[in-house]
Amino acid sequence: MAASMARTCRHVPRRGPCVLRLTLRSKLHNGLLLSLNKRGILKESFPEDAAQDRLPRLLQSGAQTVYCGFDPTADSLHVGNLLAIVGLLHFRSAGHHVLAVLGGATAQIGDPSGKTSERERLSAEVAEANTRGIRESIQRVFTNHELHFHDGSRKAGTVTVLNNLSWYKNRGVVDFLSEAGRHLRMGTMLSRHSVQSRLRSADGMSLTEFTYQVFQAYDFHHLNQIYGCKIQLGGTDQLGNLMSGHEYIHKASGDEVFGLTVPLVTSSAGDKLGKTAGNAVWLNRDKTSPFEFYQFFLRQPDASVERFLKLFTFLPLAEVERLMEQQRDDPGKRLAHKRLAAEVTKLVHGKEGLESAKRCTDALYHSSVQALEEMSDGELQELFREAPFHELLLEPGTTVMDACRRLSAVPEGPRGYQMVSEGAVWINHRRTDNPEQLLLPKLHILSNGLTLLRVGKRNFYIIKWLSLQGLS
């Protein structure tokens, strides 16, 4: 190589992690690592010189295999996990093969990283059910990327989804420890930050949790031996586990492998986004609807939008800059926010999910009756998750007051009648002040047989009318 890359770290321990501040002076300056670094997707590398020369050379030499693990501690992944998947997608688009490894076994051990107390024990049955949900999340995102974002003129790498239970379920504990235990050193394992912080706590650390890094290290070794995997991707809280895997492989086979971390995604207040923090935005529709997902990104503070566009979308950086210029010129249009929400929703929920999110947005915030008519029963229930959903038989002569009373939406007696008369009731975004008004098709009953009734500002009721014959 004509010129070497500038050294990227200063004053770091030998073989320690390296913060990825790439200043490249070689033909690799347009390479994948630099592109990911500019987007903010990569944070650290291991060993310390990985990002300087050896890893870029490896990536240039031909298609490599990269893996990232996802423990099924819940039945869905969340936005906090999405950045790691996006990282895998960038590698795949560049022609590299990716492995998404589901931790059906390691979830039953429990990762102590970032935890102040031991996780609740996860049964094999729950882990299996969670694994199915997470597999669906990952496969859906990869499929949506292939359909809507991948440049078809470039050959993408392969995608393989694995469950690490498959290589542990038939292993005996003596056999496993005899093979794996001899390649790891207690001193190094005890020095990990995740271990030290727990050992200093009142509850300490169980042997089960302490062995988690052994399984993580063996996973990397197994994937290296079977799939030729030389690169592991993980969150910054996984750096210790990445280092354990490197140490294991170095002693077991002498193969050269590398670790890369992605930053943890935090809220504007600096809180980690995840289920432990209680603010998870899930990737599965039954836990977070496309509408709620879309709104999460649409409502990001101005200070976060540019960063999230670089992290979570596949827009060229030049286009991100143009969007931000347009946003600064006319902040009221919120063009960058809308593009961010649209791009990420389409990645996670596909084109149909994005269209659903926009319909729900129009129906709720733009009072669009047309959007209401186009919505399915399921979309309405997603939009108004806390709203009661009723199936009612439409009887001849049904009035506004009748509907309100059948829903128990207003008090019995004169008070309920007065509320309607004073305009406290809205039907399909239109205020009604006549309690004796007959329910009319196309006005009160939409063409899809639905009625959205609201009392006051926040009390929504969804009605699916049964038997509409002769009313259309």
Side-chain angles (χ1 to χ4, degrees):
M1 185 175 294
S4 62
M5 299 182 187
R7 191 168 182 79
T8 61
C9 292
R10 296 290 184 271
H11 310 298
V12 293
R14 184 175 181 271
R15 297 172 64 84
C18 169
V19 177
L20 280 165
R21 297 188 181 95
L22 304 183
T23 53
L24 310 186
R25 297 194 303 267
S26 75
K27 67 181 182 181
L28 298 179
H29 69 282
N30 289 321
L32 176 62
L33 290 182
L34 182 57
S35 173
L36 295 180
N37 189 59
K38 284 182 176 179
R39 302 186 78 97
I41 292 175
L42 295 185
K43 187 173 180 65
E44 297 165 311
S45 66
F46 185 84
E48 78 173 65
D49 59 351
Q52 300 170 40
D53 187 67
R54 290 186 292 158
L55 182 53
R57 282 180 181 273
L58 176 66
L59 293 171
Q60 286 279 336
S61 68
Q64 301 301 315
T65 300
V66 184
Y67 106 89
C68 185
F70 304 90
D71 273 355
T73 52
D75 57 1
S76 170
L77 297 178
H78 50 76
V79 167
N81 307 121
L82 184 58
L83 189 56
I85 302 177
V86 169
L88 290 179
L89 289 167
H90 278 287
F91 276 98
R92 183 182 180 233
S93 289
H96 302 290
H97 308 303
V98 298
L99 306 174
V101 178
L102 310 182
T106 43
Q108 298 176 58
I109 303 298
D111 185 0
S113 302
K115 305 299 176 187
T116 57
S117 60
E118 188 164 359
R119 294 176 185 267
E120 185 177 343
R121 186 171 182 266
L122 203 66
S123 69
E125 293 76 19
V126 172
E128 182 180 357
N130 290 351
T131 298
R132 288 195 297 270
I134 290 180
R135 181 185 293 272
E136 190 277 327
S137 296
I138 292 173
Q139 291 176 333
R140 172 166 30 86
V141 173
F142 272 96
T143 298
N144 289 334
H145 179 264
E146 177 79 22
L147 291 173
H148 306 300
F149 298 98
H150 177 64
D151 180 0
S153 65
R154 301 174 61 187
K155 184 178 180 181
T158 61
V159 178
T160 306
V161 182
L162 302 169
N163 184 347
N164 67 6
L165 184 63
S166 65
W167 54 86
Y168 287 118
K169 62 183 179 181
N170 294 322
R171 295 291 302 268
V173 62
V174 174
D175 173 59
F176 175 71
L177 286 177
S178 175
E179 177 184 351
R182 67 184 67 253
H183 298 302
L184 295 169
R185 292 294 174 265
M186 288 295 298
T188 305
M189 294 174 66
L190 286 166
S191 70
R192 302 292 185 224
H193 175 72
S194 59
V195 174
Q196 284 293 309
S197 61
R198 290 292 301 283
L199 289 178
R200 290 192 294 267
S201 70
D203 293 335
M205 173 181 257
S206 71
L207 175 62
T208 300
E209 281 189 304
F210 181 69
T211 63
Y212 183 86
Q213 58 183 302
V214 178
F215 289 90
Q216 276 275 298
Y218 186 81
D219 283 351
F220 199 176
H221 168 70
H222 175 83
L223 298 172
N224 174 254
Q225 293 294 300
I226 304 300
Y227 295 91
C229 179
K230 294 186 177 183
I231 304 168
Q232 182 180 358
L233 193 68
T236 54
D237 58 347
Q238 295 296 307
L239 184 59
N241 292 324
L242 268 67
M243 295 165 73
S244 293
H246 178 276
E247 177 188 0
Y248 187 110
I249 294 170
H250 177 73
K251 291 184 177 178
S253 66
D255 205 357
E256 186 175 50
V257 296
F258 305 92
L260 293 170
T261 68
V262 299
L264 298 179
V265 183
T266 58
S267 68
S268 56
D271 299 321
K272 178 181 174 182
L273 298 182
K275 57 185 180 297
T276 303
N279 58 354
V281 177
W282 302 96
L283 305 191
N284 283 12
R285 184 170 188 155
D286 58 348
K287 295 174 75 72
T288 298
S289 71
F291 164 73
E292 294 168 312
F293 190 88
Y294 179 88
Q295 289 295 321
F296 169 77
F297 285 97
L298 191 65
R299 294 171 180 170
Q300 286 302 307
D302 293 349
S304 300
V305 172
E306 182 174 4
R307 176 171 176 256
F308 278 15
L309 279 167
K310 293 177 178 178
L311 288 176
F312 291 111
T313 80
F314 299 91
L315 297 175
L317 292 179
E319 188 169 350
V320 172
E321 291 176 8
R322 285 194 298 271
L323 270 172
M324 297 312 300
E325 287 177 6
Q326 293 172 343
Q327 179 107 332
R328 287 187 285 270
D329 291 341
D330 192 348
K333 289 185 177 179
R334 306 181 81 242
L335 295 176
H337 290 78
K338 292 176 181 177
R339 188 65 182 276
L340 169 66
E343 293 286 312
V344 187
T345 303
K346 186 160 64 171
L347 174 65
V348 172
H349 292 291
K351 186 177 179 180
E352 291 183 359
L354 174 58
E355 290 172 350
S356 173
K358 289 183 174 180
R359 276 195 300 272
C360 291
T361 298
D362 288 342
L364 183 61
Y365 296 117
H366 303 149
S367 300
S368 172
V369 175
Q370 180 182 352
L372 276 175
E373 284 193 302
E374 294 174 352
M375 291 172 67
S376 66
D377 299 6
E379 284 177 335
L380 269 175
Q381 291 181 71
E382 287 178 348
L383 179 58
F384 303 99
R385 283 190 184 273
E386 303 304 318
F389 185 89
H390 298 268
E391 291 187 335
L392 300 180
L393 181 65
L394 183 65
E395 300 172 352
T398 300
T399 65
V400 170
M401 196 67 223
D402 293 333
C404 289
R405 285 175 173 161
R406 290 172 69 181
L407 296 171
S408 299
V410 298
E412 293 287 342
R415 175 57 185 151
Y417 197 93
Q418 181 182 4
M419 287 178 63
V420 179
S421 300
E422 292 176 349
V425 173
W426 296 68
I427 295 181
N428 299 334
H429 295 309
R430 294 185 177 96
R431 187 193 296 271
T432 179
D433 57 7
N434 182 2
E436 303 302 331
Q437 169 70 57
L438 294 177
L439 295 186
L440 301 175
K442 299 183 180 179
L443 178 62
H444 304 111
I445 303 169
L446 301 177
S447 59
N448 54 2
L450 296 172
T451 294
L452 176 64
L453 187 144
R454 172 165 63 88
V455 180
K457 292 183 178 180
R458 299 182 182 274
N459 298 314
F460 288 93
Y461 302 83
I462 303 167
I463 307 170
K464 174 69 173 180
W465 293 104
L466 306 177
S467 182
L468 295 175
Q469 292 87 347
L471 293 175
S472 57

